[in-house]
Amino acid sequence: MTSATLSYPLDRQGIGTNATIFANLGTAPLVEHAVRNGEGLLAKDGPLVVRTGKHTGRSAKDKFIVRDATTEDSVWWGKTNAEMSPEHFASLKADFYAALAGKEELYVADLFGGSQPEHRVQVRVINELAWHNLFIRTLLMRPTAADLSGFAPEYTIIDLPSFKADPARHGCRGETVIAVNFTEKLILIGGTAYAGEMKKSVFGILNFLLPERGVMPMHCSANVGSDGRTAVFFGLSGTGKTTLSADASRTLIGDDEHGWSDTAVFNFEGGCYAKMIRLSEEAEPEIFATTRRFGTVLENVVIDPDTRALDFDDASLAENSRGSYPIDFIPNASAQNMGPVPANIIMLTADAYGVLPPIARLTPDQAMYHFLSGYTARVAGTEIGVTEPEATFSTCFGAPFMPRHPSVYGNLLKERIAKGQVKCWLVNTGWFGGKATQDGIKRMPIKATRALLNAALDGSLNDVQFRDDPNFGFEVPVAVPGVDSALLDQRAAWADPADYDRTAQSLVRQFIENFAQFEDHVDEGVRKAAPAVAA
């Protein structure tokens, strides 16, 4: 039984069920279903508020890729990309299909991953929860009625939070499983209600498919200036990727996932998925405004059950509370979700060691080196005795979502930088004048970071004097109009320059140790772009 006709019925996919199928519902009916089913509450200003239970983030260690003829030589196997046997997947699939057969209601959404038509993938998502269907419909590209009339899914995602996996039968770790089969073009998600697993599964599909077409998939935000020049921002959590790309004077292409083709930077998604914890109207007014709109879904945000007021400062449900909303809820968003190929690439880091300069200009080889490194560093913790920051290296600024070897993405980036003569910058939004763990040391002033970034994007930074950094070899501006020159020299700002030298060399060694895994996969130019160990 269906609420609307699917152009490609479920039984053609081998899925048999007596459930009522609610196909391609819009926002209002999906919200109605979610409330009716007891899945969430409506907040006083309109958003749907839900809880995801014990899983408030991705279950990275429970994700597996089926190892077969399709993936044997194309996936970078290891800790990030764990393998599942075809036999275990066959058992898991059989049990998923049996679970579908017993459902009373199912929600089906036919969607696109990718806004550029020639590079998008047709994805069908099957959910047992109405709010999950609303979430993925919000995050992916929504087809027109004409698109749906001839829609045939290329990939299918089945998401059943109530499903409990069996490690012995299914070859996984526990009751939670995310299993990806590129041969069957099927992804099975069970045992977790965290909706982000669906979004990142589509990202993984595109990260697998697009490199073979010469398209660079990227875990980044992107925007366009009034001059028509695109900038992309790579960066791990906490480095300022969302904040710095959300500039009211520039047009937002997207906040998280993009492709770089011969003709465009295009958003993979039609929505945004922003962190909500400690969100304030003053600091992020555009994002805050989405929390007062019908159609936004808020995950693990604390809500008063009587007044339905929201408390974004309460982390009792999750530090990783999230909000999903259509990208057009942001006033300066691109109507096409696309922009020209990049003129500038920004690699963001929050260096808690206080070593890296606030901005540096990179050569193409240095850009590939730092892209493969994917560095940031945070304060290790608040425990008594913690004296050192903690370095994090996440390859391509998104290792968990990259099924192919990092050099595939790195070489694509280097080729496209050279082809487009793209300017590349490393921007440090971290600490200045010492380590983050030292008393009195503060983060780089956001006003200075924005001034330096604006100078890079408008081209004026190319006209200033630069010096070569003795540790990392990249170029650092000596003086920039409107920016205190003292902020451009980390070493001079340290109370003990010798301590800076020791800390810098310690960080250099961590970079070199991490990059050893890539040395055999890159050319001599990239190897020479490594930071230098002091003689």
Side-chain angles (χ1 to χ4, degrees):
M1 180 179 177
T2 62
S3 65
T5 302
L6 290 168
S7 63
Y8 197 93
L10 293 182
D11 56 14
R12 290 183 63 181
Q13 298 180 265
I15 298 173
T17 180
N18 291 320
T20 299
I21 307 299
F22 297 100
N24 295 312
L25 295 185
T27 297
L30 283 171
V31 170
E32 289 174 352
H33 278 252
V35 173
R36 182 201 69 189
N37 297 343
E39 298 171 12
L41 299 174
L42 279 180
K44 68 184 183 69
D45 294 313
L48 178 67
V49 183
V50 299
R51 296 187 181 185
T52 64
K54 67 177 182 179
H55 293 282
T56 59
R58 291 183 306 102
S59 301
K61 293 181 179 180
D62 295 308
K63 177 188 170 187
F64 302 88
I65 298 174
V66 175
R67 189 164 188 160
D68 58 16
T70 301
T71 58
E72 177 66 42
D73 298 322
S74 56
V75 167
W76 187 39
W77 300 107
K79 183 171 64 174
T80 299
N81 295 308
E83 65 181 85
M84 175 179 282
S85 72
E87 294 75 19
H88 279 133
F89 185 85
S91 298
L92 183 66
K93 176 183 174 181
D95 292 345
F96 258 74
Y97 280 30
L100 290 176
K103 297 297 178 185
E104 294 184 2
E105 295 181 347
L106 290 170
Y107 299 86
V108 180
D110 289 334
L111 302 159
F112 294 134
S115 56
Q116 190 166 16
E118 56 266 44
H119 299 304
R120 68 192 183 194
V121 62
Q122 298 186 169
V123 181
R124 168 167 289 174
V125 185
I126 303 172
N127 301 110
E128 63 178 328
L129 297 178
W131 85 260
H132 268 194
N133 208 243
L134 173 61
F135 169 90
I136 199 62
R137 185 180 179 277
T138 300
L139 264 293
L140 295 188
M141 302 297 300
R142 295 165 288 282
T144 64
D147 292 327
L148 289 175
S149 66
F151 192 99
E154 298 172 72
Y155 279 79
T156 298
I157 298 172
I158 304 173
D159 190 340
L160 303 177
S162 65
F163 184 92
K164 291 180 170 53
D166 178 350
R169 178 169 167 78
H170 303 136
C172 50
R173 295 191 325 137
E175 293 183 344
T176 301
V177 65
I178 301 96
V180 181
N181 190 319
F182 284 112
T183 299
E184 296 190 28
K185 300 182 177 181
L186 178 63
I187 298 174
L188 305 174
I189 303 171
T192 172
Y194 180 67
E197 297 289 7
M198 293 181 285
K199 160 189 158 72
K200 290 304 183 186
S201 291
V202 177
F203 190 35
I205 291 170
L206 290 164
N207 285 333
F208 184 74
L209 296 178
L210 292 183
E212 290 190 336
R213 306 177 191 174
V215 176
M216 172 70 186
M218 303 177 292
H219 188 214
C220 69
S221 58
N223 63 25
V224 185
S226 57
D227 56 4
R229 291 159 57 88
T230 297
V232 299
F233 299 77
F234 293 103
L236 302 177
S237 179
T239 60
K241 177 163 62 82
T242 299
T243 299
L244 291 174
S245 64
D247 185 331
S249 67
R250 298 174 66 85
T251 299
L252 180 68
I253 300 174
D255 76 329
D256 197 37
E257 303 171 4
H258 296 83
W260 181 353
S261 70
D262 289 337
T263 58
V265 167
F266 62 98
N267 195 348
F268 288 168
E269 302 181 310
C272 300
Y273 196 34
K275 286 188 176 180
M276 292 288 122
I277 192 67
R278 289 176 288 279
L279 180 70
S280 74
E281 188 171 15
E282 294 74 23
E284 297 181 89
E286 292 87 2
I287 296 174
F288 190 87
T290 70
T291 68
R292 295 177 172 177
R293 293 192 61 170
F294 180 81
T296 292
V297 180
L298 301 176
E299 298 175 38
N300 302 313
V301 171
V302 172
I303 181 173
D304 186 300
D306 297 321
T307 67
R308 304 296 175 92
L310 301 170
D311 186 349
F312 295 108
D313 295 323
D314 188 337
S316 59
L317 293 179
E319 183 72 23
N320 188 40
S321 57
R322 292 272 180 167
S324 54
Y325 47 88
I327 194 169
D328 59 17
F329 279 16
I330 300 296
N332 60 326
S334 165
Q336 295 78 32
N337 282 6
M338 291 195 290
V341 295
N344 288 278
I345 288 174
I346 314 298
M347 296 185 187
L348 299 167
T349 184
D351 179 23
Y353 288 99
V355 167
L356 297 180
I359 195 165
R361 186 166 62 186
L362 308 178
T363 67
D365 285 328
Q366 289 170 338
M368 182 172 174
Y369 185 94
H370 285 276
F371 178 70
L372 290 176
S373 298
Y375 166 75
T376 195
R378 305 180 180 91
V379 180
T382 57
E383 299 86 355
I384 294 174
V386 172
T387 59
E388 288 296 316
E390 182 177 55
T392 298
F393 294 94
S394 183
T395 305
C396 307
F397 295 97
F401 322 118
M402 307 294 180
R404 296 185 182 273
H405 192 278
S407 62
V408 171
Y409 309 105
N411 283 319
L412 266 173
L413 182 70
K414 185 179 175 184
E415 290 167 9
R416 292 206 167 275
I417 289 171
K419 183 177 180 180
Q421 297 184 314
V422 181
K423 300 294 184 184
C424 301
W425 309 90
L426 183 72
V427 172
N428 175 24
T429 62
W431 285 258
F432 180 78
K435 301 175 188 176
T437 47
Q438 295 172 337
D439 290 340
I441 302 302
K442 297 181 179 180
R443 289 191 73 160
M444 202 73 66
I446 185 65
K447 184 178 179 180
T449 299
R450 285 197 179 277
L452 291 168
L453 181 59
N454 289 337
L457 297 184
D458 68 21
S460 60
L461 194 57
N462 291 307
D463 299 327
V464 307
Q465 180 184 353
F466 286 83
R467 63 176 174 85
D468 290 337
D469 183 272
N471 296 295
F472 286 85
F474 41 49
E475 296 180 313
V476 180
V478 175
V480 178
V483 177
D484 182 355
S485 294
L487 293 173
L488 300 174
D489 191 343
Q490 278 272 31
R491 185 177 188 273
W494 278 53
D496 181 358
D499 189 19
Y500 170 88
D501 292 337
R502 288 189 295 271
T503 304
Q505 281 295 297
S506 174
L507 183 58
V508 163
R509 287 189 289 272
Q510 290 186 72
F511 264 86
I512 292 171
E513 180 181 347
N514 172 73
F515 202 82
Q517 61 187 311
F518 306 126
E519 286 187 345
D520 293 339
H521 302 276
V522 299
D523 60 30
E524 184 65 16
V526 177
R527 287 194 289 271
K528 288 183 176 179
V533 177

